[in-house]
């Protein structure tokens, strides 16, 4: 009988015995299986988490207002002082709400899940589509990735306006009555923001036009200097824990007096030290007032609260906040409260994602140990405070443009807490408090903070099994990072800045996977000295953002021309590619050109940023700025070689390389022109735009398709694929890794005249970058999502089991790169019971011992995900691991949901 | 016309709703009628230094330098906030 509907890709593949929803190592049980481990949070944490579940992402312009007002009043000041006055005013004036039953207080803005526009950084994207500011940004390609980015329609995303609530950027809600003020604030910075000034100067790069085309064709995902210029780094809370704000203010004032008028040796940065210390003193005064205002709010609530328990809790909050506004913390609760507010303070100084608390179980351990010993704290209390911390961290929202928040971050903010690793002396650093952090992560499942285990051979078995128990809840955390590989990367990258083996043990993960340098700091508490780890580098993952590897291959095949946009992105190469090596050679030339142009433009953007709106809270907290009296602009940080080059779609790129080499150059079954013709015609399928979906399983044949591309498509799909321990394709990956990690980045220099390195994780960019890319020679169809991560196989193509995948993934030195990423989906029945936990640990160990850097698991029955997609209203709390982060299912866009469903599900280990 | 979000007993959750501390910490939707316990909260529009202008914006004369302000700006932590005539606005 004739087809009555267009034939779906799934049906075509089924006819050929292929599937998009692959199971490997057996079959899933007939009955849908739920996750094995389920525990409940404390009633207090549950109450507060339930508020979150019903909270909309909300915009507040209080911060925008007070910063603008203070900066205007101090116009003409030394820039860093002007910025300090702006931030001081923000912290002095922000609303300080306290919600019922809270013990741990603090909010980024005046809402439970609030954030604020920062128009001094960028102002175009939150304007009306017909405003001149928005149109100007559109012309530069700054909004191109936003056009192909998606938010989940559920959860707290305000994707549409309603009543008196206006949707901004596809995710945030703002009250209609404050929209005029928001626009006025944006226009106050027009022509003066980092975005606008940076744009003016980057146009002076001779090849700026190429950069613009790169952005418009989404060869790169977004600009660096004005979108999320900080983050992907590890916090350091040490100075406030050691000295308190009063101590820091005294220190800064004293040092300002000492350095005033002194040339400082180099004749350049001498007076910068004066302004630095004065600005830090002002900033500390603002932060101190902010802490104090929470005490005042508790005092106010006490006047209108009758319930005795609530009154006692408010009194405790009041006492603590008034005290730690000046003095250093004395207890575990003080210290956790202080680091939470410091974290928010840092988040409030810039648009940011991936700001990681770091190894806080080790930072807070001195307080925990002494409080438990003195009977001031019970383990149950410590665990509840960790649950409350989880809820509070989950309430953090980042306000940035749609292309970044939707297309890259999937609405996530990536606050990574690391556990395990080694201490300063090289022994296991895992401790009892970290066991409680894991338990809190099991009981109070939330997206933030995500957890990462720094796996080391010295990590105790009991600790590792507790991690496996946590993974089995299906929350996706902890991810497992290889401590040895992380340390080696850190030593290589920062050796010239003084990195030692001992110091490299203090490393931690910024954002989802960004290996970041750390330092051991001497904390004095209760008469004892503790060496605590903390971040000591500049923000990482700044520089060249997410080069679209398959797209660059498409442009190579098409003489530099992008058919989707009609732009000649690169100079035509006019080569015919007589050999496969010719093709790869040209590919690398275009790749290098992209890096060269983007690096220059991003250096300019970041230079404007460091001159106008440099990090302040960050440079107060990171060594060695305070000691040196130098901020980020003067390389006051201990480690400054943090700019990188990110990529996306590597698996599809390598698989495409393999298909081209095999079908065109080795087997001579097709000419390159025949292959290009098939790709141009999307193998006879409709475009994703015509289908209205970027998900592979929705793709369907053209109505007029005559089957002429069926055979070539089948051959492309059957060509060797990464992930099966097949040297034909794996060797191409290793060659590529060597060039990508070692040969190419060292040709370029960051703004700080430091060497670049590479970063290999997709976050969510495999959705939008796939959306703009034509069909690829591996058989993937036009517009569809790429494989996630960098070491994961393309869904359904890893058919030889996990160990074959591990062989493919580990034939190169992972420490050459800031990271690599491996996502595995495993059916819950495969990890059941203690035996299942041990199997999961063995599997993890096998990958670590082979030299893999990172692995993470989704322990889930894919059928649950399909049900959740059909009935999101019943799955508000469902968590899923995407690519380096855990997110609520309902808050991610459909293309990424489909990709997670389609990932190969391993039925056994 | 005042809203729940203008009330001193209101604790904001998001742009649509908040918690009423005077009525047992219940959830209230901003754009629904207020109750008899309404008490003006802390916003520029309730400050004697605020001079209303157009589009919900006006002028703040509370500091040394005059500057524009907007009616719904939270003022709980403004050191110059002084409760003004707008306090008499009916709920
Ligand atoms: S108006 Fe009434 S219900 Fe609304 S917040 Fe005030 S006291 Fe509560
Ligand atoms: S003094 Fe403060 S509260 Fe009063 S109008 Fe000015 S900014 Fe608003």
């Amino acid at each position: 009988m004739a087809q009555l509907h267009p034939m779906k890709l799934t049906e075509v593949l089924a006819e050929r015995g292929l599937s998009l929803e692959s199971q490997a190592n057996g079959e899933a049980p007939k009955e849908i299986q739920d996750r094995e481990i389920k525990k409940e949070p404390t009633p207090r944490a549950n109450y507060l988490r339930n508020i979150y579940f019903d909270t909309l992402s909300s915009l507040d312009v209080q911060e925008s207002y007070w910063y603008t007002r203070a900066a205007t009043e101090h116009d003409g000041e030394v820039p860093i002082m002007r910025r300090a006055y702006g931030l001081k005013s923000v912290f002095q004036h922000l609303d300080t709400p306290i919600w019922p039953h809270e013990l741990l207080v603090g909010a980024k803005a005046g809402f439970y899940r609030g954030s604020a526009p920062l128009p001094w950084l960028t102002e175009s994207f939150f304007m009306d589509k017909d405003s001149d500011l928005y149109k100007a940004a559109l012309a530069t390609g700054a909004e191109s990735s936003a056009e192909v980015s998606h938010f989940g329609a559920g959860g707290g995303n305000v994707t549409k306006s309603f009543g008196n609530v206006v949707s901004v950027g596809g995710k945030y809600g703002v009250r209609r009555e404050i929209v005029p003020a928001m626009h006025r604030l944006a226009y106050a910075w027009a022509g003066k923001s980092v975005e606008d000034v940076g744009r003016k100067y980057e146009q002076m790069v001779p090849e700026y036009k190429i950069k613009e085309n790169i952005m418009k064709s989404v060869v790169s995902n977004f600009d660096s200097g004005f979108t999320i210029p900080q983050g992907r780094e590890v916090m350091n809370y040490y100075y406030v824990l050691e000295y308190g704000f009063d101590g820091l203010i005294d220190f800064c004032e004293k040092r300002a007096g000492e350095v005033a008028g002194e040339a400082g040796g180099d004749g350049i940065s001498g007076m910068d030290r004066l302004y630095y210390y004065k600005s830090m003193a002002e900033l500390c005064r603002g932060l101190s007032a902010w802490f104090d205002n929470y005490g005042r709010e508790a005092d106010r609530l006490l006047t209108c609260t009758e319930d005795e328990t609530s009154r006692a809790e408010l009194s405790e909050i009041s006492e603590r906040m008034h005290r730690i506004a000046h003095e250093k913390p004395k207890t575990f609760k003080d210290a956790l409260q202080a680091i939470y507010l410091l974290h928010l303070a840092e988040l409030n100084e810039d648009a940011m994602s991936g700001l990681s608390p770091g190894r806080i179980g080790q930072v807070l351990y001195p307080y925990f140990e002494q409080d438990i010993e003195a009977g001031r704290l019970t383990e149950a209390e410590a665990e509840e405070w960790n649950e409350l911390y989880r809820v509070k961290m989950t309430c953090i929202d980042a306000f940035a443009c749609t292309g970044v928040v939707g297309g890259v971050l999937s609405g996530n903010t990536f606050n990574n807490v690391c556990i395990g690793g080694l201490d300063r002396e090289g022994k296991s650093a895992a401790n009892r408090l970290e066991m409680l952090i894991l338990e809190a992560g099991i009981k109070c499942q939330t997206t933030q903070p995500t957890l990462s285990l720094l796996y080391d051979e010295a990590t105790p078995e009991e600790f590792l099994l507790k991690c496996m128990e946590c993974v089995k809840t299906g929350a996706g955390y902890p991810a497992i990072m290889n401590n040895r590989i992380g340390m080696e990367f850190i030593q290589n990258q920062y050796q010239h800045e003084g990195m030692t083996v001992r110091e490299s043990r203090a490393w931690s993960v910024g954002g989802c996977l960004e290996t970041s340098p750390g330092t051991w700091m001497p904390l004095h508490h209760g008469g004892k000295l503790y060496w605590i780890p903390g971040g000591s580098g500049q923000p990482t993952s700044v520089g060249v953002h997410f080069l679209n590897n398959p797209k660059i291959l498409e442009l190579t095949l098409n003489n530099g021309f992008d058919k989707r946009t009609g732009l000649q992105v690169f100079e035509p190469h006019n080569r015919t590619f007589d050999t496969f090596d010719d093709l790869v050679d040209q590919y690398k030339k275009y790749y290098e050109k992209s890096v060269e142009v983007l690096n220059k433009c991003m250096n300019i953007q970041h230079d404007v940023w460091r001159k106008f709106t440099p990090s302040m809270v960050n440079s107060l907290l990171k060594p060695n700025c305070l000691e040196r009296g130098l901020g980020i602009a003067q390389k006051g940080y201990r480690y400054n070689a943090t700019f990188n080059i990110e990529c996306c779609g590597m698996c599809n790129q390598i698989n495409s390389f393999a298909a081209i080499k095999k079908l065109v150059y080795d087997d001579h079954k097709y000419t390159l022109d025949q292959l290009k013709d098939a790709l141009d015609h999307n193998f006879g399928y409709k475009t994703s735009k015509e289908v209205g979906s970027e998900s592979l399983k929705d793709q369907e044949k053209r109505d007029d398709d005559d089957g002429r591309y069926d055979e070539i498509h089948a051959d492309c799909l059957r060509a060797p694929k990464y992930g099966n321990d097949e040297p034909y394709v794996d060797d191409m990956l290793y060659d590529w890794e060597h060039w990508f990690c070692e040969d190419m980045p060292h040709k370029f220099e960051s703004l700080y005249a430091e060497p670049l390195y590479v970063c290999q994780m997709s976050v969510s960019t495999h959705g939008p970058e796939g959306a703009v890319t034509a069909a690829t020679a591996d058989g993937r169809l036009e517009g569809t999502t790429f494989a996630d991560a960098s070491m994961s196989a393309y869904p359904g193509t890893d058919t030889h089991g996990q160990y074959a995948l591990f062989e493919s993934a580990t034939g190169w030195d992972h420490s050459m790169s800031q990271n690599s990423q491996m996502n595995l989906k495993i059916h819950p029945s495969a990890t059941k019971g203690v035996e299942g936990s041990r199997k999961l640990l063995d599997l993890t160990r096998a990958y670590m011992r082979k030299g893999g850097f990172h692995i993470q698991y989704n322990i889930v029955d894919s059928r649950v995900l399909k049900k959740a997609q059909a009935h999101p209203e019943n799955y508000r709390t469902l968590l899923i691991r995407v690519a380096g982060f855990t997110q609520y299912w309902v808050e991610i866009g459909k293309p990424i949901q489909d990709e997670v469903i389609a990932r190969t599900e391993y039925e056994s280990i | 016309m005042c809203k729940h979000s203008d009330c001193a007993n209101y604790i904001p959750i998001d742009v649509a709703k908040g918690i009423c501390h005077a009525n047992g910490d219940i959830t209230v939707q901003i754009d629904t009628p207020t109750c008899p316990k309404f008490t003006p909260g802390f916003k520029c529009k309730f400050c004697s230094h605020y001079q209303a202008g157009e589009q919900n914006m006006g002028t703040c004369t509370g500091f040394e330098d005059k500057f524009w302000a907007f009616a719904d700006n939270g003022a709980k932590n403004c050191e110059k906030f002084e409760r003004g005539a707008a306090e008499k606005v009916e709920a």
Side-chain angles (χ1 to χ4, degrees):
Chain A
M1 202 171 137
Q3 285 285 142
L4 293 178
H5 62 88
M7 218 173 163
K8 294 249 185 203
L9 174 66
T10 43
E11 295 164 334
V12 177
L13 292 181
E15 279 185 0
R16 294 181 197 141
L18 297 166
S19 167
L20 283 179
E21 286 151 26
S22 165
Q23 298 180 351
N25 291 11
E27 276 183 22
K30 284 207 167 55
E31 296 293 311
I32 295 183
Q33 302 238 331
D34 206 348
R35 287 148 169 178
E36 181 190 356
I37 292 168
K38 280 188 170 167
K39 293 182 181 175
E40 290 298 315
T42 65
R44 187 192 306 273
N46 199 34
Y47 169 83
L48 292 165
R49 191 178 61 162
N50 281 339
I51 296 180
Y52 170 83
F53 283 141
D54 196 26
T55 297
L56 303 172
S57 271
S58 299
L59 274 191
D60 179 10
V61 296
Q62 245 192 340
E63 170 166 6
S64 330
Y65 175 79
W66 285 108
Y67 189 99
T68 303
R69 184 168 180 167
T72 308
E73 282 166 8
H74 290 90
D75 205 8
E77 254 288 6
V78 172
I80 192 169
M81 289 305 300
R82 188 174 180 235
R83 178 148 168 80
Y85 287 124
L87 287 171
K88 178 185 174 189
S89 182
V90 167
F91 290 118
Q92 283 176 325
H93 294 117
L94 275 183
D95 274 350
T96 43
I98 297 175
W99 287 276
H101 308 299
E102 284 199 320
L103 298 177
L104 181 68
V105 301
K108 209 176 145 199
F111 294 112
Y112 204 64
R113 190 183 176 182
S115 54
L118 308 180
W120 43 94
L121 189 63
T122 168
E123 77 291 5
S124 61
F125 76 94
F126 58 86
M127 302 303 290
D128 297 334
K129 294 260 186 292
D130 51 1
S131 78
D132 44 348
L133 293 180
Y134 182 81
K135 282 180 191 158
L138 210 59
T140 64
E143 289 297 307
S144 297
S145 66
E147 290 160 18
V148 285
S149 299
H150 304 271
F151 287 110
N157 293 340
V158 182
T159 51
K160 288 195 182 95
S161 301
F162 63 92
N164 285 319
V165 175
V166 177
S167 170
V168 177
K171 172 179 164 67
Y172 310 90
V174 62
R175 292 289 304 176
R176 195 174 295 282
E177 54 268 26
I178 69 162
V179 169
M182 184 173 84
H183 286 173
R184 183 165 180 172
L185 287 160
Y187 274 102
W189 291 95
K192 300 175 195 162
S193 65
V194 175
E195 177 184 14
D196 294 352
V197 178
R199 187 80 71 217
K200 185 168 119 189
Y201 287 102
E202 68 175 320
Q203 289 182 20
M204 291 164 195
V205 171
E207 290 146 315
Y208 173 76
K209 196 73 204 159
I210 295 180
K211 185 259 174 176
E212 213 170 87
N213 289 342
I214 280 173
M215 302 314 288
K216 284 179 179 166
S217 57
V218 196
V219 166
S220 168
N221 207 277
F222 61 99
D223 286 288
S224 185
F226 60 84
T227 50
I228 42 171
Q230 293 195 66
R232 287 79 58 202
E233 62 186 299
V234 179
M235 288 288 282
N236 194 324
Y237 308 109
Y238 169 75
Y239 294 105
V240 178
L241 295 179
E242 180 73 3
Y243 301 107
F245 287 119
D246 283 1
L248 288 174
I249 293 167
D250 286 350
F251 174 80
C252 290
E253 292 292 7
K254 186 166 158 272
R255 288 291 292 141
E258 286 168 3
V259 301
E262 298 285 346
D266 67 2
I268 299 168
S269 60
M271 267 4 96
D272 287 342
R273 297 179 302 166
L274 169 63
Y275 314 133
Y276 173 84
Y277 283 123
K278 286 304 285 181
S279 67
M280 289 301 143
E282 290 306 317
L283 178 67
C284 286
R285 289 188 177 99
L287 292 171
S288 172
W290 192 41
F291 277 53
D292 204 46
N293 285 342
Y294 278 101
R296 290 177 53 222
E297 177 63 1
D299 295 339
R300 191 186 75 83
L301 286 170
L302 269 168
T303 65
C304 54
T305 301
E306 284 166 11
D307 175 70
E308 280 310 313
T309 310
S310 303
R311 289 184 61 79
E313 288 167 0
L314 286 167
S315 297
E316 199 182 316
I317 292 169
S318 163
E319 188 279 325
R320 175 177 303 118
M321 297 313 296
H322 287 310
R323 179 166 44 80
I324 65 173
H326 301 281
E327 297 171 17
K328 68 182 205 169
K330 284 187 194 151
T331 66
F332 171 79
K333 291 175 186 174
D334 287 355
L336 184 52
Q337 175 66 73
I339 68 167
Y340 177 63
L341 271 194
L342 285 172
H343 200 79
L344 293 186
E346 165 63 353
L347 288 166
N348 265 352
E349 79 164 356
D350 232 328
M352 221 174 286
S353 78
L355 186 70
S356 292
R359 293 158 69 169
I360 56 164
Q362 293 158 33
V363 172
L364 296 176
Y365 188 74
Y367 305 92
F368 171 79
E369 180 189 61
Q370 293 189 19
D371 284 5
I372 292 277
E373 217 171 275
R376 285 190 293 265
L377 180 77
T378 63
E379 288 208 346
E381 279 181 292
E383 197 205 299
E384 174 166 62
W385 272 67
N386 272 306
E387 291 183 18
L388 300 176
Y389 178 70
R390 295 199 64 79
V391 177
K392 276 287 183 197
M393 294 297 276
T394 300
C395 289
I396 293 171
D397 244 1
F399 184 60
C401 59
T402 308
V404 173
V405 181
V408 183
L409 312 178
S410 273
N412 201 281
T413 53
F414 311 89
N415 305 268
N416 204 334
V417 164
C418 284
I419 52 178
L422 294 177
D423 67 13
R424 187 167 173 268
E425 312 310 323
K427 297 196 293 288
S428 168
N431 65 35
R432 179 68 196 156
L433 179 55
E434 292 183 330
M435 290 287 263
L436 298 180
I437 288 174
L438 280 163
E439 186 66 15
I442 292 170
K443 288 181 176 161
C444 187
Q445 297 211 334
T446 55
T447 55
Q448 305 296 325
T450 191
L451 301 176
S452 293
L453 164 67
L454 306 184
Y455 170 91
D456 193 275
E457 290 295 321
T459 312
E461 192 80 356
E462 182 199 2
F463 194 81
L464 294 172
L465 284 169
K466 185 75 183 170
C467 291
M468 294 305 118
E469 183 192 339
C470 190
V471 167
K472 282 166 60 174
T473 63
Y477 53 71
I480 298 106
M481 321 290 184
N482 192 324
N483 193 51
R484 176 179 64 82
I485 303 281
M487 282 173 54
E488 284 176 12
F489 169 77
I490 291 284
Q491 287 164 28
N492 287 337
Q493 182 65 21
Y494 300 104
Q495 202 170 29
H496 70 286
E497 293 191 90
M499 178 58 71
T500 63
V501 171
R502 173 175 274 178
E503 181 125 308
S504 72
R505 293 181 189 133
W507 80 283
S508 192
V509 179
C512 43
L513 272 157
E514 286 90 334
T515 304
S516 301
T519 295
W520 300 105
M521 310 297 286
L523 181 77
H524 299 86
H525 177 61
K528 274 176 82 176
L529 167 68
Y530 298 85
W531 288 98
I532 59 169
S536 55
Q538 288 198 16
T540 88
S541 283
V542 287
V544 177
H545 283 309
F546 298 104
L547 285 176
N548 184 336
N549 289 10
K551 182 80 190 175
I552 296 176
L553 182 55
E554 177 195 329
L555 294 172
T556 306
L557 292 171
N558 289 294
N559 213 13
F561 183 75
D562 180 26
K563 292 184 178 165
R564 188 184 74 95
T565 56
L567 291 168
Q568 183 69 44
V569 178
F570 299 112
E571 287 283 312
H573 53 68
N574 299 323
R575 294 171 71 170
T576 49
F577 305 136
D578 297 332
T579 66
F580 178 70
D581 288 348
D582 283 352
L583 177 70
V584 175
D585 176 66
Q586 183 57 45
Y587 179 76
K588 288 177 178 171
K589 285 197 164 81
Y590 276 169
Y591 210 95
E592 275 189 12
K593 179 54 75 181
S594 306
V595 175
E596 181 194 330
V597 174
L598 288 169
N599 184 49
K600 283 182 186 171
C601 291
M602 299 312 146
N603 279 349
I604 290 172
Q605 289 180 7
H606 277 278
D607 189 54
V608 172
W609 172 83
R610 74 175 173 175
K611 286 186 165 72
F612 281 25
T613 63
S615 63
M616 300 288 290
V617 182
N618 197 333
S619 87
L620 169 74
L621 300 178
K622 290 271 180 85
N624 296 332
C625 297
L626 264 186
E627 287 88 342
R628 293 174 177 162
L630 302 173
I632 196 164
Q634 296 83 15
K635 291 179 78 168
Y637 285 60
R638 190 173 290 193
Y639 300 108
N640 299 280
T642 57
F643 275 45
N644 68 6
I645 302 160
E646 298 159 346
C647 70
C648 174
M650 196 170 65
C651 177
N652 293 96
Q653 168 218 339
I654 297 296
N655 284 345
S656 296
F657 273 3
I660 294 170
K661 183 166 190 297
K662 174 115 184 78
L663 300 176
V664 177
Y665 294 99
D666 288 355
D667 294 355
H668 303 288
K669 184 161 183 191
Y670 306 99
T671 65
L672 192 58
D673 283 340
Q674 284 172 320
L675 179 63
K676 273 169 57 186
D677 179 56
L679 299 179
D680 285 348
H681 290 89
N682 198 24
F683 296 114
Y685 286 79
K686 292 178 183 171
T687 64
S688 57
K689 213 171 180 178
E690 286 166 335
V691 176
S693 166
E694 289 135 11
S695 299
L696 203 53
K697 71 185 179 67
D698 294 334
Q699 303 311 305
E700 53 195 38
K701 281 259 179 153
R702 299 190 64 83
D703 298 332
D704 59 355
D705 176 59
D706 58 7
R708 79 173 70 170
Y709 301 111
D710 285 359
E711 190 182 342
I712 192 167
H713 192 209
D715 284 334
C716 286
L717 288 167
R718 287 194 190 107
K721 295 284 185 281
Y722 161 80
N724 297 294
D725 190 16
E726 202 169 328
Y728 188 91
V729 55
D730 292 350
D731 286 346
M732 286 184 181
L733 170 73
Y734 309 149
D735 286 349
W736 169 258
E737 288 288 2
H738 204 272
W739 181 82
F740 184 57
C741 301
E742 293 278 288
D743 301 343
M744 183 269 296
H746 298 148
K747 295 180 183 170
F748 306 99
E749 207 175 46
S750 80
L751 171 63
Y752 295 90
E754 297 287 355
L756 303 182
Y757 55 81
V758 299
C759 167
Q760 307 186 46
M761 49 169 207
S762 63
V763 200
S764 300
T765 55
H766 52 302
E769 296 207 347
V772 298
T773 304
T776 42
D778 57 347
R780 175 196 143 274
L781 297 182
E782 181 271 347
T784 58
T785 305
F786 296 145
D788 73 298
S790 57
M791 291 296 104
S792 302
Y794 189 65
T797 61
D798 44 338
T799 54
H800 290 66
Q802 300 103 325
Y803 289 95
L805 177 60
F806 290 178
E807 283 296 332
S808 293
T810 54
W812 62 285
D813 177 4
H814 286 213
S815 75
M816 295 190 298
S817 173
Q818 187 188 24
N819 45 43
S820 63
Q821 188 173 20
M822 170 74 84
N823 289 335
L824 279 192
K825 191 166 76 177
I826 298 180
H827 193 273
S829 61
T831 60
K832 233 182 163 87
V834 180
E835 199 197 331
S837 298
R838 287 202 176 280
K839 278 189 193 165
L840 194 59
L841 179 54
D842 287 345
L843 184 74
T844 307
R845 230 180 218 137
Y847 189 59
M848 295 287 120
R849 284 180 177 164
K850 284 186 125 347
F853 172 67
H854 158 276
I855 191 163
Q856 64 188 22
Y857 301 101
N858 267 309
I859 310 291
V860 67
D861 188 322
S862 299
R863 291 167 294 188
V864 171
L865 302 181
K866 284 184 204 162
K867 279 174 75 175
Q869 201 173 44
H871 300 286
E873 66 282 2
N874 298 336
Y875 291 87
R876 176 65 183 91
T877 62
L878 177 67
L879 288 170
I880 201 75
R881 194 73 178 177
V882 185
F885 63 96
T886 292
Q887 183 56 299
Y888 290 108
W889 178 257
V890 294
E891 298 205 11
I892 53 180
K894 187 168 179 296
I896 300 293
Q897 285 185 349
D898 284 342
E899 179 268 310
V900 175
I901 291 173
R903 284 179 199 168
T904 304
E905 178 182 288
Y906 286 95
E907 310 304 335
S908 64
I909 298 173
Chain B
M1 174 95 158
C2 283
K3 303 183 287 289
H4 295 281
S5 52
D6 297 328
C7 176
N9 299 314
Y10 178 86
I11 306 171
I13 292 179
D14 61 26
V15 281
K17 62 188 172 297
I19 289 169
C20 171
H21 195 51
N23 285 305
D25 291 336
I26 55 163
T27 303
V28 288
Q29 301 293 323
I30 295 176
D31 295 311
T32 58
T34 53
C35 87
K37 290 186 189 167
F38 178 88
T39 312
F42 301 86
K43 286 193 170 181
C44 286
K45 64 183 167 189
F46 299 134
C47 174
S48 61
H49 300 300
Y50 180 73
Q51 293 166 3
E54 286 185 345
Q55 290 194 301
N56 223 23
M57 293 183 284
T59 306
C60 161
T61 57
F63 292 79
E64 210 176 305
D65 295 336
K66 267 191 195 174
F67 203 72
W68 70 273
F70 60 103
D72 283 285
N73 197 13
K76 216 174 255 175
N77 293 317
C78 178
E79 65 275 32
K80 300 289 184 184
F81 176 84
E82 273 179 33
R83 205 162 278 289
E87 190 178 349
K88 297 184 193 83
V89 173
E90 288 299 315

